[in-house]
Amino acid sequence: MLLTIAAFIALALLLDLRLPVARTAVVMADTTSIKVTFNKSQEWWIEQGMVLCRPNPDRRASARRDDASCAQFLPSEGFYHLSIGAGDSVEIRLEPREKDARLLIRFLPCVEKNCSVLEAMPGQISPREVPNGFVVISETALRAAGPLSMSGRITLGRELSVGGRPDFLLGGSYEIREQNPLTRAFGRRSVVVEQGELIPGAAVELFSRGQPSERSTGHFFLAEANGYPSLRAIALSGAGGGALRMSVEGAEPFTIDPDWIDSVIANPVFICLALLLGLLLNAAQLIAPLMKIRVRG
């Protein structure tokens, strides 16, 4: 028995040190808030149109407008194509209303070295053209648009440091999957080494190799959670070493990042090989005295 346990640990450590391991964090969340810093260009087509709200220097005039979300902005319509460039950051918020919901996509100022604005086509808008502005997409237009893709640094939800905010994480689940040459050799593409539920009201960020993942991918679409409109977001970490970090108001942020023990426990290939190695060692222990007697005879 002791030999089996020793073989189990030795094999696990050997494989953990020698085999290249690829881990991917997969998150499925219902949320009303998403933040993305894009690492490559994305094109979002909203065929039913969206309203652009530009910052208005004359706040006294803009305050008389009926649309509360554009009260301090200059709204204009006729936009159908949102062209997002690498390095652009946006905050996405689903705003529930009495009759229907609407999506607000706020354009954060570009902080990249190259923040040049490309010439836009009619009906097209880019975040770099309107820093601190945003677009408003109706519930009907959002449903018709279908899933909208995202790629880069992705955060789902936000910490509820201030009460009464409508943008937060409602709930969801996560998996951290692992694959390596050994599991592939035995016909298993990947195994789940960690899984669980997301904490409502938390901010969840995808990590890779101990740092925020800059190459995560995913998409989101309009859905319902517990009878309320929400954004169903599916996101996968990129560049291997997948993990995730959850931040909850009033507690230290914590990272869910499996180690070699989790890999071994979750992987049946490791367990089978360790048991086989232990049986061989036990057999060798039994045979060794017999061989000595035979030699002496």
Side-chain angles (χ1 to χ4, degrees), residues 94 101 138-140 142-143 146 220-224 229-232:
L94 186 67
S138 69
E139 179 177 338
T140 303
L142 184 58
R143 288 189 187 279
F220 67 91
F221 53 90
L222 188 63
E224 285 191 358
S230 69
L231 299 175
R232 176 69 52 84

Side-chain angles (χ1 to χ4, degrees), residues 19-34:
L19 288 180
V21 175
R23 290 195 183 110
T24 302
V26 183
V27 177
M28 184 175 70
D30 289 310
T31 182
T32 56
S33 175
I34 303 172

Side-chain angles (χ1 to χ4, degrees), residues 103-125:
L103 191 71
L104 277 62
I105 303 176
R106 181 183 170 215
F107 306 143
L108 303 180
C110 179
V111 295
E112 297 294 318
K113 293 181 179 179
N114 180 17
C115 291
S116 58
V117 179
L118 301 177
E119 184 178 355
M121 303 294 290
Q124 178 182 2
I125 190 64

Side-chain angles (χ1 to χ4, degrees), residues 4-149:
T4 302
I5 296 173
F8 182 82
I9 295 173
L11 181 64
L13 288 172
L14 180 63
L15 294 176
D16 185 67
L17 293 172
R18 296 301 180 88
L19 288 180
V21 175
R23 290 195 183 110
T24 302
V26 183
V27 177
M28 184 175 70
D30 289 310
T31 182
T32 56
S33 175
I34 303 172
K35 183 178 179 180
V36 186
T37 299
F38 289 84
N39 70 330
K40 63 180 181 180
S41 300
Q42 297 282 344
E43 308 293 333
W44 291 356
W45 293 91
I46 312 297
E47 294 184 359
Q48 296 196 21
M50 52 189 162
V51 176
L52 172 65
C53 301
R54 298 178 182 273
N56 186 358
D58 186 359
R59 291 176 178 266
R60 290 173 300 176
S62 64
R64 291 195 295 268
R65 299 190 179 276
D66 295 330
D67 189 350
S69 68
C70 283
Q72 302 295 324
F73 291 78
L74 290 171
S76 56
E77 301 184 20
F79 294 96
Y80 306 92
H81 178 200
L82 182 57
S83 181
I84 303 170
D88 287 341
S89 295
V90 300
E91 287 183 344
I92 303 165
R93 178 163 63 89
L94 186 67
E95 186 179 79
R97 298 198 300 174
E98 186 176 345
K99 292 184 179 180
D100 58 3
R102 59 185 175 187
L103 191 71
L104 277 62
I105 303 176
R106 181 183 170 215
F107 306 143
L108 303 180
C110 179
V111 295
E112 297 294 318
K113 293 181 179 179
N114 180 17
C115 291
S116 58
V117 179
L118 301 177
E119 184 178 355
M121 303 294 290
Q124 178 182 2
I125 190 64
S126 168
R128 298 184 188 186
E129 294 180 63
V130 195
N132 292 316
F134 60 92
V135 292
V136 180
I137 304 173
S138 69
E139 179 177 338
T140 303
L142 184 58
R143 288 189 187 279
L148 298 176
S149 58

Side-chain angles (χ1 to χ4, degrees), residues 262-289:
D262 298 303
S263 298
V264 170
I265 292 173
N267 200 325
V269 175
F270 286 160
I271 296 174
C272 290
L273 289 177
L275 289 175
L276 180 60
L277 181 59
L279 289 174
L280 292 174
L281 291 174
N282 284 326
Q285 247 188 344
L286 293 174
I287 294 173

